[in-house]
Amino acid sequence: MTTNADVPPARPRRAPAGAAVLREDVTEAIRAAVFEELAAVGYARMSIEGIARRAGVGKTAVYRRWRSKLHLVLDVVSAMAVLGLPAPDTGSLEGDLRLLYEVMSRALRHPVASQIIPDLQAEAARNPEMAATLQKAVRDGQDGVASKIVAAARERGEVSAGLDLDLALDLISGPLYWRAVIIRSPKLPKGYLANLAKATAGALKAL
């Protein structure tokens, strides 16, 4: 006869190999390291080894999440699009544009962003997958906010109901991006953002 005392206690079941949960703090450390590495050495010289060293993890931790340097960077760029920009709500088209430009200007002129964006653009010219991801990041982030500004202006009757949205987005996003990213002007002229918001609002109302 067998008693409960004769039955060995059940051993806790171990998780199958490969089923370990990926720690979110490690993932975020790696993503932060990607920005730092891109700013320091650029995409071409960036390596998984350098990213892992900067994040304070082993290469295995990186490869468990992304299969290559390209896919890691594409994921980070896509994550930026998800964060997006705050949608202004000042009650007027010119006010919304002014606030948007202030946020955009700070973001585009940040030392890390000002180094990373031109480098990724150069890589996108050679890599269709990178180009498609960058384009989607811009559309999902910046243009999404600009669309909300135009929609709010329509509801207030500040712009035509038949306004060409694509043209409106070009007018809103183009000038500041040109000066901050293409020309890379070290400093905006005094009153530039206010004047840009006024001019853009006037152009949109005239369409």
Side-chain angles (χ1 to χ4, degrees):
M1 180 176 179
T2 307
T3 65
N4 289 339
D6 298 321
V7 179
R11 294 182 179 180
R13 182 174 295 178
R14 298 178 62 183
V21 177
L22 299 178
R23 288 173 48 187
E24 186 62 26
D25 61 329
V26 173
T27 301
E28 290 307 312
I30 295 171
R31 283 180 171 147
V34 171
F35 283 108
E36 295 172 4
E37 195 73 0
L38 277 171
V41 303
Y43 179 82
R45 294 175 56 196
M46 188 179 77
S47 67
I48 295 296
E49 291 83 356
I51 293 169
R53 183 169 55 253
R54 197 178 286 271
V57 301
K59 288 193 300 181
T60 304
V62 180
Y63 281 119
R64 284 174 63 194
R65 292 163 171 80
W66 301 277
R67 65 178 183 268
S68 70
K69 177 177 78 171
L70 174 62
H71 289 92
L72 172 53
V73 172
L74 292 180
D75 175 70
V76 170
V77 170
S78 298
M80 290 171 57
V82 173
L83 293 175
L85 295 168
D89 185 17
T90 65
S92 73
L93 175 58
E94 184 175 332
D96 287 351
L97 290 172
R98 172 68 183 273
L99 185 56
L100 175 65
Y101 288 148
E102 289 176 354
V103 175
M104 282 179 58
S105 178
R106 287 196 296 269
L108 290 173
R109 296 165 67 83
H110 187 280
V112 174
S114 65
Q115 295 178 66
I116 290 176
I117 293 175
D119 185 58
L120 292 182
Q121 286 180 318
E123 183 61 28
R126 300 184 290 267
N127 190 316
E129 191 173 3
M130 176 75 79
T133 299
L134 286 176
Q135 184 180 35
K136 185 177 186 300
V138 171
R139 287 293 178 185
D140 288 353
Q142 183 174 312
D143 284 2
V145 175
S147 297
K148 292 178 181 178
I149 290 177
V150 173
R154 279 174 173 165
E155 292 181 2
R156 291 190 296 261
E158 293 182 277
V159 298
S160 168
L163 178 66
D164 185 326
L165 183 57
D166 285 336
L167 178 56
L169 297 182
D170 288 344
L171 283 171
I172 292 172
S173 305
L176 187 57
Y177 186 84
W178 170 265
R179 179 175 285 272
V181 178
I182 306 302
I183 297 180
R184 303 186 73 180
S185 177
K187 186 177 181 180
L188 293 176
K190 184 178 180 179
Y192 177 82
L193 296 180
N195 291 334
L196 178 60
K198 182 177 181 179
T200 304
L204 292 174
K205 292 175 181 179
L207 291 178

